[in-house]
Amino acid sequence: ECGIDAAQAVYVGDDERDIVAARKAGLKSVAALWGYRLDTEDPHAWQADAAVEAPRHLLLPGILSPS
């Protein structure tokens, strides 16, 4: 624990297991589309709260805002 409310945190991941972990922890999830993954994987199918093409897109309004 780090003393931060889950509503104030966001989990950014490049694998489906990251999105699943975010859900289990009650966190907003963001799929990082630039990470390592197989060509057969579809990150949009992971149903993250948001998906971003590049790290700089994390700074776009609403992406890191609490849900």
Side-chain angles (χ1 to χ4, degrees):
E1 287 188 40
C2 59
I4 298 173
D5 187 327
Q8 298 297 316
V10 177
Y11 193 130
V12 180
D14 63 355
D15 192 281
E16 185 174 18
R17 68 178 164 237
D18 297 323
I19 306 310
V20 170
R23 266 190 224 110
K24 286 183 179 180
L27 302 173
K28 180 177 178 181
S29 60
V30 178
L33 303 180
W34 68 87
Y36 172 80
R37 67 179 181 280
L38 300 174
D39 290 338
T40 57
E41 292 181 296
D42 177 11
H44 296 287
W46 304 341
Q47 299 181 341
D49 296 305
V52 291
E53 295 281 343
R56 70 179 180 275
H57 295 155
L58 291 168
L59 302 175
L60 293 173
I63 297 296
L64 295 180
S65 300
S67 50

